[in-house]
Amino acid sequence: MPWLELSLTIRAEQQPRVEEALDDLGALSVTLQDADAETPDEQAIFEPGVGELPLWPTITLNALFEADTDRRGLGEALGDLLPWLEPDHIQFRDVADEDWERAWMDQFKPMPFGKRLWIYPWNIEPPADEDIVVVRLDPGLAFGSGTHPTTALCLAWLDSLDLNGKSVMDFGCGSGILAIAALKLGAAGAVGVDNDPQALIASTDNAQRNDVADRLTVFLPEDLTADPADVFIANILAGPLGELAPTFAAAAKPGAPFAISGILQGQEDELLARYAEWFHELRVDTQEDWVRISGRRR
């Protein structure tokens, strides 16, 4: 079933009123994007806090309507609700329907990390091979499928460890991919921590699909009660990594291997200096423009 898409460019302060008007007119969905995307003025917004909605100064707003919606009538009604809106700022186009989950599945192929670990989508059956470790993933509510370099760096690091019988803490667990991989690689138990309740739901769901839910416990940061872990990993952004270094040190046992990622090249020196107080044997590995720092708890 096709759809009618209405697009217009507005200022950030106009967004609430415009979105309310579109909702009143029967919009089925509304999406926002940076009006300066793919230009030198593009601004990235990464991982806002729960309940936060940071916006770009200028926004392109796209609303979907039923395909048979009267374009002229819709434009006139929107003009009545938003008298300041110029008619030539409104654009319409037809959008073909698509099975977005199937499109994701078609693009997501089996991926190896290290010597043993593979990430497989649910639509592809892995081979019966005792020499590989398989994590199965579905589209979820939170980031983390292995396709991003930071996730890939963390997965390869986990694959390099002997995790048998160990406890693992995954801070910023997202989809749960790292904690689940650790459990599939032999960890006795894993703790996933994230400030987004949806991430905890996605992690638990993916753990159930991989038959390791009985060994995974998830927490919001303020509710964390787990003991220090034998292995610690965090894949978040450089700013929070710096702020949370003392917290991470307290969450790792003495001598515990640790790795942090979500770091752009050029950000690692400050973090190396910050973490040297609590961790040693520090090393840097890179993939594309991203960095992983690893070492051991002092």
Side-chain angles (χ1 to χ4, degrees):
M1 171 178 166
W3 309 96
L4 175 66
E5 182 185 74
L6 178 153
S7 297
L8 63 158
T9 299
I10 58 174
R11 299 190 305 274
E13 63 268 21
Q14 297 169 328
Q15 175 265 332
R17 182 68 190 95
V18 174
E19 195 164 337
E20 180 183 2
L22 290 167
D23 185 58
D24 290 343
L25 294 173
L28 302 172
S29 70
V30 176
T31 59
L32 311 175
Q33 66 183 62
D34 186 357
D36 293 317
E38 300 182 1
T39 76
D41 296 323
E42 180 177 13
Q43 297 183 28
I45 294 177
F46 296 112
E47 297 188 17
V50 177
E52 296 179 1
L53 183 62
L55 293 174
W56 305 274
T58 308
I59 302 165
T60 296
L61 187 149
N62 301 310
L64 287 183
F65 293 85
E66 300 284 357
D68 58 358
T69 301
D70 176 26
R71 299 185 185 201
R72 181 175 177 177
L74 179 57
E76 291 176 350
L78 192 59
D80 290 340
L81 292 172
L82 306 170
W84 48 264
L85 186 64
E86 297 291 338
D88 59 356
H89 289 177
I90 302 173
Q91 296 181 333
F92 292 100
R93 74 181 182 103
D94 295 319
V95 178
D97 195 13
E98 186 168 358
D99 184 339
W100 297 108
E101 181 172 334
R102 176 54 51 193
W104 183 90
M105 285 292 197
D106 290 343
Q107 294 176 15
F108 183 17
K109 306 300 182 184
M111 295 174 289
F113 300 93
K115 296 180 179 179
R116 301 167 292 165
L117 183 62
W118 285 76
I119 306 298
Y120 266 75
W122 285 102
N123 62 323
I124 299 178
E125 192 65 27
D129 185 344
E130 295 182 355
D131 294 328
I132 68 172
V133 174
V134 174
V135 174
R136 307 292 296 273
L137 284 185
D138 232 2
L141 297 173
F143 168 83
S145 64
T147 57
H148 193 274
T150 62
T151 312
L153 284 164
C154 291
L155 289 169
W157 181 78
L158 287 170
D159 181 79
S160 73
L161 302 177
D162 178 6
L163 296 176
N164 286 320
K166 303 289 180 62
S167 61
V168 177
M169 183 174 293
D170 173 12
F171 203 101
C173 57
S175 68
I177 186 172
L178 299 180
I180 294 167
L183 292 169
K184 300 282 277 192
L185 287 164
V191 171
V193 184
D194 206 289
N195 66 359
D196 185 349
Q198 287 192 328
L200 304 187
I201 294 171
S203 294
T204 301
D205 181 62
N206 282 322
Q208 291 171 344
R209 293 171 181 269
N210 283 276
D211 297 321
V212 295
D214 59 327
R215 293 185 285 140
L216 175 68
T217 308
V218 296
F219 295 96
L220 293 169
E222 60 268 26
D223 297 332
L224 181 61
T225 58
D227 294 331
D230 298 317
V231 177
F232 182 90
I233 191 164
N235 183 23
I236 52 177
L237 296 174
L241 286 174
E243 295 169 8
L244 292 169
T247 300
F248 294 171
K253 289 182 179 179
F258 95 105
I260 54 174
S261 193
I263 308 160
L264 283 166
Q265 288 193 33
Q267 298 176 325
E268 65 270 25
D269 289 345
E270 184 176 344
L271 287 170
L272 286 167
R274 173 75 164 147
Y275 275 76
E277 180 177 348
W278 299 281
F279 299 89
H280 66 133
E281 299 179 18
L282 298 175
R283 61 172 287 173
V284 171
D285 294 274
T286 62
Q287 183 170 327
E288 298 178 17
D289 295 328
W290 296 90
V291 171
R292 179 190 71 214
I293 296 174
S294 59
R296 287 187 178 274
R297 179 72 168 93
R298 291 188 183 277

